[in-house]
Amino acid sequence: MTSLSGKGLVTLTDLPYMIQLQILAYLDLPELLNKVAPLNKYFYHLAHNSRFWQKLDFTNSQCHLSLSYLRQLLGFAPLASTLILSRQACDKAELSDDVADIFGEVLHRCPRLIYLQLAYLRPSKEALAGLCIGHRHMQSSQPVGGYLLHLDLSGSDQLTPELVETLARSFPRLQSLCLAHCRRACDSTTGHLGRLLTQLSYINLDENTTPPEALNLLLTSRTDTFERVVLDASGCESRHLAPALASCSRLRMLCCDFAEDVSDELLDSGISQLGCLESLTLRKAYRISDEAFNRLGQFGHFPSLTHLDLTECRCLTDEGLHHLVSNFGHRLEILVLNWCWKITDNTVDLLFDTCRLMSSLSLVGLHQLTGKQLPLVPERMPDLRFLDLRNCNAIQDPLCHQLVAQRPCLCIVDFFGFIVDGSCDAGGVPEPESAAGFAFTERWTRPLRLLRM
């Protein structure tokens, strides 16, 4: 490469300093430390620029990451505001299970952390207690700032209700707390989390056997702050859950999983009152009737609703979906109707006519669909990027290939779970539910990613 003057070669050091930083930003932290920093003093200081060490995300790291090396990396990041370390990242980096033992060191080494994700690392009780001790040390050494606002401990098998309360007292400024798949973490005392965490706006208790009374108490104690709630509704009665949800008037995202026991009252008296909803997920709501969906579609007022997931709502028919789509369809961007067996081609015609902004549509297991409307997708759904047709046995493969040939940017998953390629029968095999939830994940994790920066 020649220089602008036409003489000699342009090296990285000849470029403006900010451009050098932008180029090095494409490298992950281990590469910066192993390949850039050892070159000379200039690159050593360049690689240790605080810009690179404010967000420590090892999720996609391809480098070998040992426990001692992780400690070394944390030592270089005293100004870090984000640390993301999941079981997936540890397995990829061949970290041992002892990685959970550094919990107590995390806040010593990174006292300004705001976002901490330690999902599925299965830490011991001692390690979790060390996290609280580390936070108390952080408070004494950094009285201004440096308080955790977002904590993700998903899949922590050793997390007990006593430890949850200790964490809540140690991190009183938490705004989001994820305890998904922490099967031993909740009991009757969980309802008091709202009293301890006065700024809590997001709580995730998915696949977590929280007693219904404690869940209702938690919701009603934070009606002024809750904006996003993910809960396991198994065992919950609608007559108690509905008023608790209705009181959370600021909710923008609600996910009720395992809702086998809830009835029409949840829609009529609870969800219908949440006018700020942008995302609504009701999974396995077997007992909610089609008439309740009719009423929600006719009388519900959700001016901002863009994501709707009704997976395994078995009573939903064309009539109920017709009212929902007629009311909300022109704003919907993501719609999931997996295993709603009573849906037919008649309502899908209305979907294609109404949902012009749709980007992701999941129709898994709808065996009555024939796919005769698929040729209309390019014209009527110009923004559609993902279409899941797994287990739709009446839809013929040539229709899918023809559609992909017309819209190469459209990702279609066929009956067997293969991604359809316009030039061959199948591509790679996607992870279950991964593509269907892409837009949802992108939408609701974006604010957290902005906080990490």
Side-chain angles (χ1 to χ4, degrees), residues 26-27 35 65 89 113 182-183 267 326 359:
Y26 286 97
L27 303 177
K35 300 178 180 180
L65 195 63
L113 275 181
C182 300
R183 300 182 183 276
L267 292 185
S326 299
S359 61

Side-chain angles (χ1 to χ4, degrees), residues 65 76 91 125 138 171 181 185 245 252 255 308 332 404:
L65 195 63
F76 283 114
D91 290 342
K125 294 181 180 180
M138 181 185 70
F171 306 103
H181 304 273
L245 287 175
R252 295 187 297 116
C255 175
L308 182 61
L332 283 180
V404 172

Side-chain angles (χ1 to χ4, degrees), residues 119-134:
Y120 300 98
L121 292 181
R122 298 181 176 87
S124 63
K125 294 181 180 180
E126 293 75 15
L128 289 166
L131 186 64
C132 301
I133 296 173

